[in-house]
Amino acid sequence: DTFYAVEAKYVRELICSAMVTLIKSDEDSRYCPMINYRGKLVRAFDMQQMRGRRRNNASMIPGVLMIEQKTGGGKMAGLIVDSVEEVMQSSENGWSESSLSVTNVNKKLIKAEMLKGNQRIYLLNPEFLFDIEMIDQGSSCKH
């Protein structure tokens, strides 16, 4: 029932089905979900888990939106999503400060919100994901 948006400049592609592997961090006992993206391990972020919801422990994920920090290269990440609905155009005027409950993660993860019809859409801040828990060429997961 929650809708999110990502600016097109971050989106690389949608993978319709992906295998997720948990990889243990060298620094502590945390496990980071990773996917094999064209021969390279890439950190995956589950939108349900980031919002405090549980997903069943299936290793196959229905959809992964691949995002890239810098167009044409740079760090990659996967956003595990339930579905991708549509591509929409909007101006900056349509977005306003988010009214989500103010937790530290929400303030950094959600950049803005928009009301479209009777649906509230939250604009994600991918830079937050690249800053917090990124595995880049074998380095460990941080939290």
Side-chain angles (χ1 to χ4, degrees):
D1 297 333
T2 306
F3 294 89
Y4 298 97
V6 177
E7 291 178 74
K9 70 181 182 179
Y10 292 104
V11 177
R12 174 96 178 238
E13 70 181 276
L14 175 66
I15 300 173
C16 293
S17 181
M19 177 76 78
V20 174
T21 304
L22 294 176
I23 300 202
K24 188 173 181 180
S25 168
D26 291 336
E27 296 175 3
D28 54 29
S29 61
R30 293 181 191 259
Y31 287 83
C32 299
M34 305 288 287
I35 60 170
N36 182 336
Y37 180 70
R38 299 186 179 160
K40 183 177 178 183
L41 284 178
V42 175
R43 177 72 166 91
F45 296 92
D46 189 330
M47 291 305 300
Q48 282 191 13
Q49 288 180 352
M50 291 186 80
R51 299 290 297 133
R53 298 185 184 120
R54 293 193 74 118
R55 182 183 297 275
N56 64 13
N57 289 334
S59 59
M60 288 303 288
I61 298 300
V64 180
L65 188 65
M66 296 305 298
I67 58 173
E68 188 173 39
Q69 188 173 25
K70 188 172 114 180
T71 305
K75 293 180 183 177
M76 297 283 299
L79 290 177
I80 299 171
V81 297
D82 295 325
S83 66
V84 174
E85 297 292 323
E86 65 179 288
V87 175
M88 61 181 233
Q89 289 185 315
S90 68
S91 66
E92 287 190 24
N93 297 342
W95 296 97
S96 61
E97 188 174 324
S98 177
S99 64
L100 270 179
S101 61
V102 182
T103 66
N104 202 23
V105 171
N106 285 345
K107 283 195 295 188
K108 294 176 182 177
L109 178 62
I110 307 298
K111 213 173 179 179
E113 69 181 37
M114 172 190 286
L115 195 57
K116 184 178 178 188
N118 59 355
Q119 291 179 332
R120 193 165 304 277
I121 302 168
Y122 299 100
L123 180 63
L124 295 177
N125 176 13
E127 292 300 329
F128 171 66
L129 300 176
F130 290 113
D131 286 345
I132 58 167
E133 297 186 38
M134 184 56 61
I135 290 185
D136 187 22
Q137 297 178 347
S139 63
S140 60
C141 187
K142 299 175 187 167
H143 195 49

